[in-house]
Amino acid sequence: MTESKQQVDLQLISNEASALLTPRYEGKHTPEIHLRQLVVHPEPSETDVQDLKGQRIACGWSEERIPTWIEELRSGTRFIWFIHLRTSTGLTESAGMISLCLFDPFDLSLADLLAPPPKTGKRVEIASLFISPQYRRQGIGEAAIRELERTAAGLGAAIVTMNTPALSENVRRYQRMGYQQYKKEKKYPLKDVLACGFPEEYCYAAFLEKHLL
């Protein structure tokens, strides 16, 4: 049976939450990471495109949105980075990815930094976080979010947003990073939630924001 877009999105956002929420081993220090930007001018490399496709499939989401993402990258309304871990022998393979959206025409409360005047604001959205299973429990997802917060501030943003399934453990983890919920909406049909094997609470998304200093 073909999955609906809502089912695919649910699997994606669940994997994103898992990438951040997977508990770290005790005694782990904040990892050193390197964010390598996906460059699309004049064209993205075939290696990067295949890496991006592989990560989207691994997190439970097909690559159908990649062409749209590439157009957003060209327009400057989105940035995508591959996440690499620094080790004593150099950089690892791509351990995951993360994105920064500067304009969401469907919900300006998420990202309006590059919205056309007079709707231009100071909000950007951190999205599409995925950490490969073999690199989880090392704090890489949190380190990547912290790095994008600094990037957002450098771009002139005053507020960073995210959204995640409105489960208490998800929201609490983001709250410990300084995020606060500013709205909660029903985002996914119950039938799609149940078809993915998730509890009914996954129908709702918590929208979170953090004010940058």
Side-chain angles (χ1 to χ4, degrees), residues 7-199:
Q7 288 175 310
V8 171
D9 283 348
L10 273 165
Q11 292 170 339
L12 168 65
I13 202 167
S14 177
N15 275 287
E16 290 173 357
S18 296
L20 177 64
L21 297 171
T22 303
R24 291 162 59 179
Y25 289 119
E26 294 296 326
K28 284 286 186 181
H29 299 291
T30 300
E32 292 188 35
I33 62 169
H34 170 69
L35 298 184
R36 180 173 59 85
Q37 188 173 344
L38 175 57
V39 177
V40 296
H41 297 287
E43 294 293 336
S45 73
E46 184 60 27
T47 298
D48 282 350
V49 171
Q50 291 305 316
D51 192 354
L52 187 59
K53 287 182 179 180
Q55 293 199 41
R56 303 331 291 162
I57 292 171
C59 78
W61 187 28
S62 71
E63 66 271 24
E64 62 184 22
R65 291 189 187 175
I66 290 178
T68 299
W69 275 3
I70 290 176
E71 289 306 311
E72 291 173 349
L73 291 170
R74 289 195 174 106
S75 71
T77 58
R78 181 181 296 275
F79 296 96
I80 292 175
W81 291 269
F82 295 107
I83 305 169
H84 298 266
L85 183 64
R86 293 187 186 275
T87 69
S88 58
T89 57
L91 298 178
T92 65
E93 63 183 346
S94 176
M97 66 164 291
I98 195 167
S99 174
L100 189 67
C101 177
L102 279 60
F103 173 45
D104 185 336
F106 303 105
D107 187 350
L108 292 178
S109 80
L110 286 173
D112 62 4
L113 186 66
L114 291 186
K119 296 181 179 180
T120 308
K122 292 287 187 177
R123 304 172 75 88
V124 296
E125 180 192 16
I126 294 177
S128 308
L129 171 64
F130 174 70
I131 305 298
S132 297
Q134 66 268 32
Y135 288 104
R136 294 180 185 172
R137 303 188 69 177
Q138 299 182 57
I140 295 173
E142 183 171 338
I145 289 174
R146 300 290 191 193
E147 185 64 31
L148 257 63
E149 289 173 356
R150 290 188 284 271
T151 298
L155 292 171
I159 300 173
V160 172
T161 69
M162 298 182 188
N163 67 90
T164 185
L167 307 179
S168 58
E169 61 266 31
N170 290 14
V171 175
R172 282 197 300 268
R173 181 60 184 268
Y174 285 112
Q175 287 175 335
R176 288 195 290 270
M177 295 178 64
Y179 288 82
Q180 297 298 323
Q181 182 173 316
Y182 68 90
K183 70 176 179 177
K184 178 180 177 180
E185 293 182 350
K186 188 171 184 179
K187 191 171 183 179
Y188 305 106
L190 178 60
K191 63 181 179 63
D192 290 325
V193 169
L194 298 179
C196 288
F198 297 139

